[in-house]
Amino acid sequence: MDRVDLAILACLKSNARMKASDIGKEINLSVSAVIERIKKMEANGAIEKYTVCLNQKQMGNDLIALIEVSLEHPKYYEAFTTMIGEEKSVQECHYLTGEFDFMLKVLTDSSESLEEIHRKIKSLSGVQSTKTHFVLKTIKNEMSVLPETK
């Protein structure tokens, strides 16, 4: 991946619906070259998908919580990750080193629904402990991070 690819990605990151002609004008490249490079990045997996970024407050999700989860034993990993994968309010799930095994980012509409999710997690076999943090304010939330250009 070179500087031109990164410039194309920067354009798409700011607006995934940007036309190849507009990208070409911005980075001084022909439309066909832009399209060819985008297709290569899609084929090699650098571009995984195109999506929409929703305003969570307008969707009714104005409560964000981070939940740390510790399992009793690694044998509970599969059942836990399967349940989390099916839980629509869990936006992110990260497998960690350290005191806790997982960090979940939960978006929901109320403390009642968070309590319901929390009870569901705590009732899973193998869940040893949890620790919940309420997010007061999000300072930065990037969908993707591009490497620094040198």
Side-chain angles (χ1 to χ4, degrees):
M1 188 165 302
D2 61 13
R3 287 179 185 265
V4 176
D5 288 338
L6 292 174
I8 291 169
L9 290 174
C11 290
L12 291 173
K13 182 181 173 193
S14 69
N15 179 4
R17 295 178 60 167
M18 190 177 224
K19 295 177 184 174
S21 58
D22 293 334
I23 294 171
K25 286 177 190 169
E26 190 163 320
I27 65 171
N28 198 24
L29 196 65
S30 72
V31 174
S32 59
V34 169
I35 292 170
E36 181 182 322
R37 283 174 174 265
I38 290 172
K39 285 183 179 181
K40 274 186 189 174
M41 288 187 281
E42 290 169 344
N44 72 21
I47 297 175
E48 291 182 345
K49 65 181 176 179
Y50 298 89
T51 190
V52 62
C53 185
L54 302 174
N55 181 318
Q56 289 301 317
K57 285 188 181 189
Q58 287 190 4
M59 298 294 110
N61 293 326
D62 34 358
L63 190 147
I64 302 170
L66 302 174
I67 302 175
E68 295 174 290
V69 180
S70 182
L71 300 180
E72 291 174 21
H73 190 275
K75 69 181 179 184
Y76 297 108
Y77 176 92
E78 290 300 323
F80 178 81
T81 56
T82 298
M83 182 286 243
I84 292 303
E86 295 167 356
E87 183 59 52
K88 297 202 183 311
S89 294
V90 176
Q91 183 183 31
E92 298 175 19
C93 176
H94 304 279
Y95 189 45
L96 309 171
T97 61
E99 182 181 345
F100 288 90
D101 298 307
F102 295 93
M103 174 70 77
L104 311 177
K105 181 179 178 183
V106 177
L107 280 78
T108 190
D109 62 345
S110 66
S111 58
E112 291 82 13
S113 61
L114 178 62
E115 180 187 2
E116 185 178 316
I117 294 163
H118 189 259
R119 268 190 273 117
K120 195 174 185 180
I121 291 168
K122 291 285 282 187
S123 69
L124 273 175
S125 290
V127 172
Q128 181 176 356
S129 62
T130 64
K131 185 175 184 181
T132 303
H133 309 270
F134 286 90
V135 174
L136 300 175
K137 182 178 181 180
T138 299
I139 308 302
K140 183 176 181 179
N141 184 16
E142 290 288 329
M143 294 284 291
S144 300
V145 177
L146 294 172
E148 296 285 328
T149 54
K150 296 173 185 168

